[in-house]
Amino acid sequence: GSEELWISSVDGGNLRQMTSMGGPNCAGAQWAPDGESILFTSTREGASDVYLLFPKTGELRRLTTDAAEEVEARWSRDGKSIYFGSNRTGRFEIWRMHADGSAATQVTTRGGQTAQESPDGRSIYYAKNGSPTTLWRTSSHGADDVQLVNGVSYPNNFVVGDRGIYFLAVGESPASTSVDFFDFSTRQRTTLARVGKPWWSGITLSSDQRWLLFAA
């Protein structure tokens, strides 16, 4: 009856409910690189905030307390930092904080909602608020912003791999959704698969980068 976080085996069995919010939205669950905690956002206290869940103990830890909305939290590659979108300046921008929720600093200044680090940690790829939206690259310090592609279906519908970026792209109709790829080396965009159904929110890449999981 309410949206909660659950854990299952890879085959979908052994379901376990991990949160009991009783109504407030829970979204964007992300395992920490060390596998010890899960990062997510929830409207438990009214505005959307960033939380950590520790599955072994059931501990729930709130990381942000600002009155603004904090959304689409993502881990850095080393698990020491967290990127998130916040409208505390009046519009959504990308922010970065330590993994314990301290020392939040603004990264972008021209809009941004969802961000992921490059494999080497030197660049940040981010999408702006809206649907469809655009995908950008900036340095880890938030300088030299460059637009890469447009037509991304939703701000969290991209994932950064070693060779490039996979994303759910919109077409001329909802049924013409496709999985597209932006290649870092050639800077070219190609279509990998036609989905043939309306897009939905969410895409991720397996750790061996052989499989994509997306919603449609």
Side-chain angles (χ1 to χ4, degrees), residues 37-51:
S37 61
I38 298 174
L39 181 69
F40 71 102
T41 58
S42 176
T43 55
R44 185 185 190 187
E45 304 297 329
S48 179
D49 282 300
V50 181
Y51 288 80

Side-chain angles (χ1 to χ4, degrees), residues 100-175:
D100 62 2
S102 64
T105 57
Q106 186 176 342
V107 177
T108 62
T109 58
R110 295 188 289 180
Q113 182 167 318
T114 308
Q116 292 183 31
E117 273 189 346
S118 62
D120 60 11
R122 296 180 180 179
S123 300
I124 299 167
Y125 297 94
Y126 68 95
K128 296 191 176 185
N129 186 29
S131 177
T133 186
T134 51
L135 188 62
W136 296 68
R137 184 191 67 221
T138 188
S139 71
S140 60
H141 303 292
D144 304 319
D145 297 65
V146 177
Q147 182 177 335
L148 302 179
V149 295
N150 55 20
V152 180
S153 56
Y154 197 69
N156 68 351
N157 277 347
F158 75 95
V159 61
V160 180
D162 291 340
R163 298 187 304 107
I165 303 173
Y166 303 86
F167 58 99
L168 276 176
V170 297
E172 295 179 355
S173 68

Side-chain angles (χ1 to χ4, degrees), residues 36-115:
E36 294 297 317
S37 61
I38 298 174
L39 181 69
F40 71 102
T41 58
S42 176
T43 55
R44 185 185 190 187
E45 304 297 329
S48 179
D49 282 300
V50 181
Y51 288 80
L52 274 184
L53 169 69
F54 295 86
K56 290 182 180 179
T57 64
E59 178 191 354
L60 196 62
R61 187 179 302 170
R62 183 181 176 187
L63 298 184
T64 59
T65 58
D66 195 279
E69 301 284 334
E70 275 75 51
V71 299
E72 303 298 347
R74 297 289 186 275
W75 292 101
S76 63
R77 296 281 176 169
D78 60 10
K80 295 180 179 180
S81 300
I82 294 169
Y83 295 92
F84 61 97
S86 176
N87 62 355
R88 60 183 70 180
T89 64
R91 71 174 177 185
F92 278 103
E93 301 283 0
I94 302 300
W95 289 68
R96 178 175 52 224
M97 63 183 174
H98 293 164
D100 62 2
S102 64
T105 57
Q106 186 176 342
V107 177
T108 62
T109 58
R110 295 188 289 180
Q113 182 167 318
T114 308

